[in-house]
Protein backbone atom coordinates (compact mmCIF):
# COMPACT_ATOMS: atom_id res chain seq x y z
CA UNK A 1 0.00 0.00 0.00
CA UNK A 2 1.43 3.38 -1.02
CA UNK A 3 2.12 6.06 1.59
CA UNK A 4 0.85 8.64 -0.91
CA UNK A 5 -2.75 7.67 -0.15
CA UNK A 6 -2.32 9.70 3.05
CA UNK A 7 -1.88 12.77 0.85
CA UNK A 8 -5.56 12.48 -0.04
CA UNK A 9 -7.34 15.22 1.99
CA UNK A 10 -10.27 12.98 2.99
CA UNK A 11 -7.91 10.21 4.10
CA UNK A 12 -5.75 12.73 6.01
CA UNK A 13 -8.84 14.07 7.83
CA UNK A 14 -10.03 10.55 8.67
CA UNK A 15 -6.68 9.39 10.05
CA UNK A 16 -5.87 12.54 12.04
CA UNK A 17 -9.34 13.01 13.58
CA UNK A 18 -8.86 10.57 16.52
CA UNK A 19 -5.30 11.79 17.16
CA UNK A 20 -5.95 15.46 17.88
CA UNK A 21 -7.62 15.26 21.32
CA UNK A 22 -5.14 12.72 22.84
CA UNK A 23 -2.21 14.79 21.55
CA UNK A 24 -3.60 18.00 23.10
CA UNK A 25 -4.17 16.12 26.37
CA UNK A 26 -0.70 14.53 26.47
CA UNK A 27 0.95 17.87 25.59
CA UNK A 28 -1.01 19.71 28.31
CA UNK A 29 -0.16 17.14 31.00
CA UNK A 30 3.53 16.98 30.09
CA UNK A 31 3.79 20.78 29.83
CA UNK A 32 2.19 21.18 33.26
CA UNK A 33 4.50 18.59 34.86
CA UNK A 34 7.55 19.91 32.97
CA UNK A 35 6.88 23.51 33.97
CA UNK A 36 6.33 22.61 37.60
CA UNK A 37 9.52 20.52 37.64
CA UNK A 38 11.55 23.17 35.79
CA UNK A 39 10.42 26.14 37.84
CA UNK A 40 9.79 24.70 41.30
CA UNK A 41 12.02 21.64 41.67
CA UNK A 42 15.29 22.43 39.93
CA UNK A 43 18.05 24.12 41.88
CA UNK A 44 19.77 27.32 40.73
CA UNK A 45 22.91 26.81 38.67
CA UNK A 46 26.15 27.74 40.45
CA UNK A 47 27.09 30.15 37.63
CA UNK A 48 23.79 31.12 36.01
CA UNK A 49 21.72 31.40 39.16
CA UNK A 50 17.98 31.18 38.51
CA UNK A 51 18.35 32.21 34.83
CA UNK A 52 19.03 28.52 34.14
CA UNK A 53 15.23 28.12 34.35
CA UNK A 54 14.91 30.11 31.10
CA UNK A 55 16.75 27.33 29.26
CA UNK A 56 13.89 24.89 29.89
CA UNK A 57 11.82 26.88 27.40
CA UNK A 58 14.62 28.32 25.26
CA UNK A 59 16.16 24.97 24.25
CA UNK A 60 12.91 23.21 23.17
CA UNK A 61 11.72 26.36 21.37
CA UNK A 62 15.02 26.69 19.49
CA UNK A 63 14.99 22.99 18.53
CA UNK A 64 11.44 23.31 17.21
CA UNK A 65 12.19 26.58 15.41
CA UNK A 66 14.75 24.72 13.28
CA UNK A 67 12.90 21.40 12.99
CA UNK A 68 9.62 23.08 12.00
CA UNK A 69 11.50 24.70 9.13
CA UNK A 70 12.78 21.24 8.17
CA UNK A 71 9.18 19.93 8.19
CA UNK A 72 8.12 22.85 5.97
CA UNK A 73 11.01 22.25 3.59
CA UNK A 74 10.26 18.52 3.24
CA UNK A 75 6.53 19.22 2.78
CA UNK A 76 7.27 21.95 0.22
CA UNK A 77 9.67 19.67 -1.67
CA UNK A 78 7.14 16.82 -1.73
CA UNK A 79 4.45 19.27 -2.83
CA UNK A 80 6.55 20.58 -5.70
CA UNK A 81 7.63 17.12 -6.88
CA UNK A 82 4.46 15.07 -6.29
CA UNK A 83 1.90 17.89 -6.62
CA UNK A 84 0.08 16.86 -3.45
CA UNK A 85 -2.06 19.69 -2.08
CA UNK A 86 -1.93 18.33 1.46
CA UNK A 87 1.87 18.71 1.47
CA UNK A 88 1.62 22.40 0.58
CA UNK A 89 -1.10 22.88 3.19
CA UNK A 90 0.98 21.16 5.90
CA UNK A 91 3.88 23.51 5.09
CA UNK A 92 1.51 26.50 5.21
CA UNK A 93 0.05 25.28 8.53
CA UNK A 94 3.52 24.84 10.05
CA UNK A 95 4.80 28.33 9.22
CA UNK A 96 3.08 30.36 12.00
CA UNK A 97 3.98 27.64 14.52
CA UNK A 98 7.63 27.75 13.47
CA UNK A 99 7.62 31.56 13.52
CA UNK A 100 6.18 31.51 17.05
CA UNK A 101 8.86 29.07 18.29
CA UNK A 102 11.57 31.15 16.61
CA UNK A 103 10.25 34.32 18.28
CA UNK A 104 10.24 32.51 21.65
CA UNK A 105 13.82 31.28 21.08
CA UNK A 106 15.00 34.80 20.14
CA UNK A 107 13.21 36.54 23.02
CA UNK A 108 14.13 34.04 25.74
CA UNK A 109 17.71 33.93 24.39
CA UNK A 110 17.95 37.73 24.63
CA UNK A 111 16.45 37.75 28.12
CA UNK A 112 18.97 35.08 29.21
CA UNK A 113 21.84 36.82 27.41
CA UNK A 114 21.46 40.16 29.18
CA UNK A 115 22.36 38.90 32.69
CA UNK A 116 24.76 36.15 31.48
CA UNK A 117 26.58 37.72 28.51
CA UNK A 118 25.98 41.33 29.49
CA UNK A 119 24.10 42.06 26.27
CA UNK A 120 20.68 41.39 24.76
CA UNK A 121 22.07 40.64 21.32
CA UNK A 122 25.31 39.96 19.42
CA UNK A 123 25.73 39.46 15.66
CA UNK A 124 26.97 35.95 16.36
CA UNK A 125 26.67 33.38 13.52
CA UNK A 126 23.98 31.29 15.19
CA UNK A 127 21.88 34.22 16.42
CA UNK A 128 22.06 35.93 13.04
CA UNK A 129 21.12 32.73 11.18
CA UNK A 130 18.11 32.24 13.47
CA UNK A 131 17.03 35.87 12.95
CA UNK A 132 17.25 35.45 9.15
CA UNK A 133 15.30 32.17 9.42
CA UNK A 134 12.62 34.12 11.35
CA UNK A 135 12.43 36.59 8.44
CA UNK A 136 12.04 33.65 6.04
CA UNK A 137 9.08 32.42 8.12
CA UNK A 138 7.50 35.90 7.89
CA UNK A 139 8.25 36.16 4.16
CA UNK A 140 6.77 32.72 3.53
CA UNK A 141 3.51 33.65 5.31
CA UNK A 142 3.38 37.04 3.57
CA UNK A 143 3.80 35.38 0.17
CA UNK A 144 0.95 32.93 0.82
CA UNK A 145 -1.24 35.87 1.86
CA UNK A 146 -0.22 38.10 -1.05
CA UNK A 147 -0.90 35.73 -3.96
CA UNK A 148 -4.62 35.23 -4.57
CA UNK A 149 -4.42 32.08 -6.71
CA UNK A 150 -3.79 29.17 -4.25
CA UNK A 151 -1.87 26.98 -6.75
CA UNK A 152 0.50 29.81 -7.61
CA UNK A 153 0.87 30.83 -3.95
CA UNK A 154 1.74 27.23 -3.03
CA UNK A 155 4.44 26.96 -5.71
CA UNK A 156 6.04 30.35 -5.05
CA UNK A 157 6.08 29.99 -1.28
CA UNK A 158 7.48 26.43 -1.56
CA UNK A 159 10.40 27.74 -3.61
CA UNK A 160 10.99 30.54 -1.08
CA UNK A 161 10.92 27.95 1.73
CA UNK A 162 13.54 25.80 -0.02
CA UNK A 163 15.80 28.84 -0.50
CA UNK A 164 15.64 29.51 3.25
CA UNK A 165 16.77 25.97 4.12
CA UNK A 166 20.36 27.20 4.16
CA UNK A 167 19.57 29.42 7.16
CA UNK A 168 17.78 26.62 9.00
CA UNK A 169 20.91 24.50 8.41
CA UNK A 170 23.18 27.33 9.60
CA UNK A 171 20.96 27.90 12.64
CA UNK A 172 21.67 24.31 13.63
CA UNK A 173 25.34 23.96 12.64
CA UNK A 174 26.81 27.50 12.83
CA UNK A 175 28.27 26.67 16.26
CA UNK A 176 30.26 23.83 14.63
CA UNK A 177 31.57 25.96 11.73
CA UNK A 178 32.59 29.14 13.54
CA UNK A 179 33.76 30.20 16.99
CA UNK A 180 30.57 31.75 18.30
CA UNK A 181 29.56 33.35 21.57
CA UNK A 182 26.61 30.96 21.62
CA UNK A 183 27.74 27.67 23.13
CA UNK A 184 27.71 24.38 21.22
CA UNK A 185 25.17 21.60 21.63
CA UNK A 186 24.41 20.83 25.28
CA UNK A 187 22.56 17.60 24.46
CA UNK A 188 24.71 15.41 22.26
CA UNK A 189 24.86 11.64 21.82
CA UNK A 190 28.44 11.86 20.49
CA UNK A 191 29.73 14.14 23.26
CA UNK A 192 28.14 12.19 26.11
CA UNK A 193 26.42 13.66 29.13
CA UNK A 194 27.14 17.40 29.49
CA UNK A 195 24.14 18.47 31.56
CA UNK A 196 23.65 17.49 35.19
CA UNK A 197 20.78 15.08 35.94
CA UNK A 198 19.01 17.75 38.01
CA UNK A 199 18.53 19.80 34.83
CA UNK A 200 18.57 17.07 32.19
CA UNK A 201 15.39 15.22 33.19
CA UNK A 202 13.07 18.28 33.25
CA UNK A 203 14.72 19.52 30.05
CA UNK A 204 13.92 16.25 28.26
CA UNK A 205 10.39 16.41 29.66
CA UNK A 206 9.91 19.94 28.28
CA UNK A 207 11.35 18.91 24.90
CA UNK A 208 8.87 16.02 24.61
CA UNK A 209 6.01 18.31 25.76
CA UNK A 210 6.92 20.96 23.16
CA UNK A 211 7.09 18.33 20.41
CA UNK A 212 3.66 16.92 21.35
CA UNK A 213 2.27 20.46 21.39
CA UNK A 214 3.81 21.05 17.95
CA UNK A 215 2.26 17.92 16.43
CA UNK A 216 -1.15 18.68 17.99
CA UNK A 217 -1.27 22.27 16.77
CA UNK A 218 0.14 21.34 13.35
CA UNK A 219 -2.61 18.76 12.84
CA UNK A 220 -5.31 21.23 13.84
CA UNK A 221 -3.90 23.91 11.53
CA UNK A 222 -3.51 21.47 8.61
CA UNK A 223 -7.11 20.29 9.09
CA UNK A 224 -8.21 23.95 9.16
CA UNK A 225 -6.43 24.60 5.85
CA UNK A 226 -8.08 21.55 4.25
CA UNK A 227 -11.53 22.67 5.45
CA UNK A 228 -10.95 26.23 4.23
CA UNK A 229 -9.86 24.93 0.84
CA UNK A 230 -12.90 22.66 0.60
CA UNK A 231 -15.23 25.55 1.52
CA UNK A 232 -13.57 27.76 -1.12
CA UNK A 233 -13.95 25.05 -3.74
CA UNK A 234 -17.67 24.60 -2.90
CA UNK A 235 -18.24 28.38 -3.08
CA UNK A 236 -16.59 28.47 -6.52
CA UNK A 237 -18.76 25.56 -7.74
CA UNK A 238 -21.83 27.39 -6.42
CA UNK A 239 -20.84 30.61 -8.17
CA UNK A 240 -20.35 28.79 -11.49
CA UNK A 241 -23.71 26.96 -11.28
CA UNK B 1 7.02 32.58 44.96
CA UNK B 2 6.72 36.10 46.37
CA UNK B 3 9.96 35.59 48.24
CA UNK B 4 11.65 34.48 45.01
CA UNK B 5 10.33 37.53 43.14
CA UNK B 6 11.49 39.94 45.80
CA UNK B 7 14.85 38.42 46.68
CA UNK B 8 16.29 36.82 43.52
CA UNK B 9 18.20 39.33 41.38
CA UNK B 10 17.35 37.44 38.17
CA UNK B 11 13.65 36.92 38.94
CA UNK B 12 12.51 39.63 36.53
CA UNK B 13 14.39 38.00 33.63
CA UNK B 14 12.90 34.57 34.38
CA UNK B 15 9.36 35.96 34.73
CA UNK B 16 9.77 37.99 31.50
CA UNK B 17 10.94 34.92 29.56
CA UNK B 18 8.10 32.70 30.81
CA UNK B 19 5.56 35.52 30.38
CA UNK B 20 6.59 36.18 26.76
CA UNK B 21 6.45 32.45 26.00
CA UNK B 22 2.98 32.11 27.57
CA UNK B 23 1.74 35.13 25.61
CA UNK B 24 3.06 33.85 22.26
CA UNK B 25 1.84 30.27 22.74
CA UNK B 26 -1.51 31.52 24.07
CA UNK B 27 -1.94 33.74 21.00
CA UNK B 28 -0.98 30.81 18.74
CA UNK B 29 -3.51 28.43 20.34
CA UNK B 30 -6.27 31.07 20.36
CA UNK B 31 -5.85 32.00 16.68
CA UNK B 32 -5.55 28.32 15.70
CA UNK B 33 -8.77 27.30 17.45
CA UNK B 34 -10.65 30.37 16.20
CA UNK B 35 -9.57 29.75 12.59
CA UNK B 36 -10.46 26.07 12.91
CA UNK B 37 -13.96 26.86 14.20
CA UNK B 38 -14.49 29.42 11.39
CA UNK B 39 -13.31 27.01 8.67
CA UNK B 40 -15.50 24.20 10.04
CA UNK B 41 -18.56 26.52 10.06
CA UNK B 42 -17.89 27.80 6.53
CA UNK B 43 -17.45 24.29 5.15
CA UNK B 44 -20.66 23.07 6.78
CA UNK B 45 -22.58 26.08 5.42
CA UNK B 46 -21.21 25.52 1.92
CA UNK B 47 -22.07 21.80 2.02
CA UNK B 48 -25.61 22.50 3.24
CA UNK B 49 -26.16 25.06 0.46
CA UNK B 50 -24.95 22.52 -2.09
CA UNK B 51 -27.38 19.86 -0.82
CA UNK B 52 -30.35 22.23 -1.14
Amino acid sequence: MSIWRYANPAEFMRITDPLVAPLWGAAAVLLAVGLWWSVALTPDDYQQGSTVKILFIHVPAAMLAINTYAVMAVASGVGLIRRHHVSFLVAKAAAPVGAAFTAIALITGAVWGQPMWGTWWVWDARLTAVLIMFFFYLGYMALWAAVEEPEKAADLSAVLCLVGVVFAFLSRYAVNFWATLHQGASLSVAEGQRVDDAFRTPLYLMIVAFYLFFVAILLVRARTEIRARRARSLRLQEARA
Amino acid sequence: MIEYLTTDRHALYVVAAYGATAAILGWLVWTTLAANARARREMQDAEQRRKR
Side-chain angles (χ1 to χ4, degrees):
Chain A
M1 191 180 291
S2 167
I3 61 161
W4 300 113
R5 75 186 180 95
Y6 298 114
N8 175 297
E11 192 70 8
F12 181 87
M13 295 295 274
R14 189 186 65 77
I15 292 167
T16 55
D17 186 47
L19 300 177
V20 174
L23 279 168
W24 275 127
V29 169
L30 278 187
L31 263 179
V33 175
L35 278 173
W36 173 68
W37 197 330
S38 309
V39 174
L41 299 185
T42 53
D44 287 355
D45 182 71
Y46 81 104
Q47 283 182 319
Q48 301 177 51
S50 67
T51 61
V52 72
K53 296 179 196 303
I54 295 173
L55 301 183
F56 296 113
I57 45 176
H58 175 75
V59 173
M63 288 172 84
L64 272 164
I66 297 166
N67 291 337
T68 303
Y69 204 95
V71 168
M72 278 172 61
V74 170
S76 296
V78 169
L80 283 174
I81 295 164
R82 304 282 306 202
R83 311 304 304 167
H84 286 308
H85 296 313
V86 172
S87 297
F88 287 124
L89 295 181
V90 166
K92 185 185 179 190
V97 185
F101 283 126
T102 312
I104 291 170
L106 287 169
I107 292 168
T108 54
V111 171
W112 180 88
Q114 170 58 23
M116 291 300 107
W117 290 345
T119 179
W120 300 99
W121 181 263
V122 282
W123 293 101
D124 160 285
R126 173 171 265 185
L127 273 66
T128 308
V130 173
L131 183 64
I132 296 173
M133 185 176 71
F134 181 61
F135 291 141
F136 265 93
Y137 274 121
L138 298 185
Y140 177 90
M141 290 188 285
L143 193 54
W144 259 107
V147 182
E148 207 167 317
E149 176 55 46
E151 303 288 334
K152 201 172 174 181
D155 285 347
L156 290 174
S157 49
V159 171
L160 178 69
C161 175
L162 292 177
V163 172
V165 163
V166 66
F167 293 101
F169 181 80
L170 283 178
S171 297
R172 172 68 183 82
Y173 292 105
V175 289
N176 299 359
F177 298 153
W178 295 286
T180 58
L181 181 58
H182 194 290
Q183 72 270 27
S186 301
L187 303 171
S188 166
V189 177
E191 303 278 340
Q193 185 174 334
R194 303 171 79 181
V195 180
D196 189 87
D197 276 342
F199 304 111
R200 202 162 49 122
T201 311
L203 182 57
Y204 279 142
L205 199 59
M206 287 296 279
I207 290 170
V208 174
F210 267 57
Y211 269 92
L212 285 172
F213 174 82
F214 166 72
V215 177
I217 205 157
L218 178 65
L219 287 185
V220 173
R221 294 191 76 95
R223 290 166 62 81
T224 301
E225 293 295 339
I226 289 170
R227 285 191 177 114
R229 198 180 174 97
R230 169 87 178 140
R232 184 177 186 274
S233 155
L234 289 172
R235 277 199 305 272
L236 286 174
Q237 282 174 21
E238 199 178 43
R240 280 197 211 105
Chain B
M1 181 70 181
I2 291 169
E3 189 193 336
Y4 168 72
L5 289 172
T6 51
T7 56
D8 192 290
R9 67 195 176 106
H10 295 135
L12 205 60
Y13 294 105
V14 176
V15 171
Y18 276 82
T21 302
I24 292 170
L25 291 185
W27 166 83
L28 185 66
V29 170
W30 176 262
T31 54
T32 297
L33 296 181
N36 188 44
R38 193 170 53 244
R40 186 193 290 261
R41 203 168 47 242
E42 282 176 6
M43 196 183 79
Q44 283 170 348
D45 288 349
E47 281 178 342
Q48 276 174 1
R49 275 201 306 276
R50 193 176 67 151
K51 280 177 192 162
R52 271 192 243 126

